[in-house]
Amino acid sequence: GTVLLYTCLGVYILIASIRLIHSKHGVSLLIAYSILPVILAVYREVTPTSGGTDAYTYVRYFETSLDSSMFNIVKTNIFGLRDPVYQYLNILIRLITDDYHVFFFVIYSLIVISMFYFVKEVFSLSTVFSPLIFLVYYYLQSYNIIRFMVAMSFITLGYIQMTKGKRALSVIYCLLGALCHFTTVIVLIADIAYIMYSNERLQRVGWYIFGIVSIYSAIFILQSRIISMISESEYIGYILNRETAFILFAHITTILCSLLSLLNFKKLIKKNEINTYMVFLVVFDFALIPVGIYLQIFRLHNMFLLPRLYVWGQLMECNQERILREKDFRIICATIMVLWTVFRVIRDASGAGYIPYTL
């Protein structure tokens, strides 16, 4: 029953996304489509054994967030359990109410609206829409890893601002995300790299190689220092984790999307409406794979899920005429995306704890 519910929700999110892309209406329609996913998230049952593996812990933290003294709040350790932006958000809402449903309403509104806003602002009509059904997987992650997804909502707003050419604002949003969940500082690094390589003087293969070599050298030289800085925090669970080690097959879609982007790079760039920033993020994500393998970083590629969905749609649109008739190709793509989405939702359910869904 729950899998059917989530499949229907995925179809709802897909249809809502397509309507938003086609519509000239702005905020009102976006908010209207966000209501159902937000309500489902806010009013789900949250216990130590249901509603998301870590959700109950986040509820308990919200309820006790005022127990910290103001002195401790000011001295918040960025590498500690409670990152500043997320901590202040908890405290601000807790000062108003102790009902965690209000807290959920605020954070899930931020998560869902930013997701739909990304679709409306970044996606274009000249794309294959079927990858958008995978947004339900992105949404369901917020039932478990709440703090990470709040950080991703800021990162998503940063993606949108960079797309609009507002680089400073994009960096600010990404910084807010990093101060909400420190692992997302990787996206801030990606933003800075994109700004640098947008300079025509640096758009040469040599500079790209130099940049990649420099980043890898810094990581390998400073790895012991980085690990020691976070060894006493919860972030140690994101690196050198044998149970959640980087498995090549598990990230096959990331690898395929990146490789196909490189192989079709000229074709993608020739499209007038292509978002080169999204393509850059996908390639940047691909460049991180050796780091992921070496340090066994957990949840690294989740940060670039939305850009990958965009690029998948563009890749499908670029190649559909070469493979099959357009209608047949889109049906096959839709079928594959539905099956892949259901597979990923079911596969991750045991660890994420969002099955079964109960009110």
Side-chain angles (χ1 to χ4, degrees), residues 93-111:
I93 299 172
R94 182 64 183 81
L95 286 169
I96 300 170
T97 179
D98 61 355
D99 186 351
Y100 77 86
H101 291 97
V102 176
F103 174 66
F104 270 14
F105 177 77
V106 173
I107 63 170
Y108 282 109
S109 294
L110 182 62
I111 291 168

Side-chain angles (χ1 to χ4, degrees), residues 217-267:
S217 299
I219 289 172
F220 294 137
I221 291 171
L222 300 173
Q223 62 173 310
S224 58
R225 176 61 179 163
I226 294 170
I227 292 172
S228 66
M229 287 175 67
I230 63 176
S231 60
E232 296 181 359
S233 76
E234 70 172 70
Y235 290 115
I236 195 63
Y238 286 82
I239 63 173
L240 302 176
N241 191 323
R242 300 296 174 184
E243 294 182 3
T244 55
F246 185 96
I247 302 171
L248 215 56
F249 177 75
H251 297 273
I252 191 67
T253 53
T254 299
I255 296 167
L256 278 176
C257 186
S258 304
L259 288 177
L260 289 172
S261 296
L262 292 171
L263 291 172
N264 291 271
F265 190 76
K266 290 184 178 179
K267 187 181 292 187

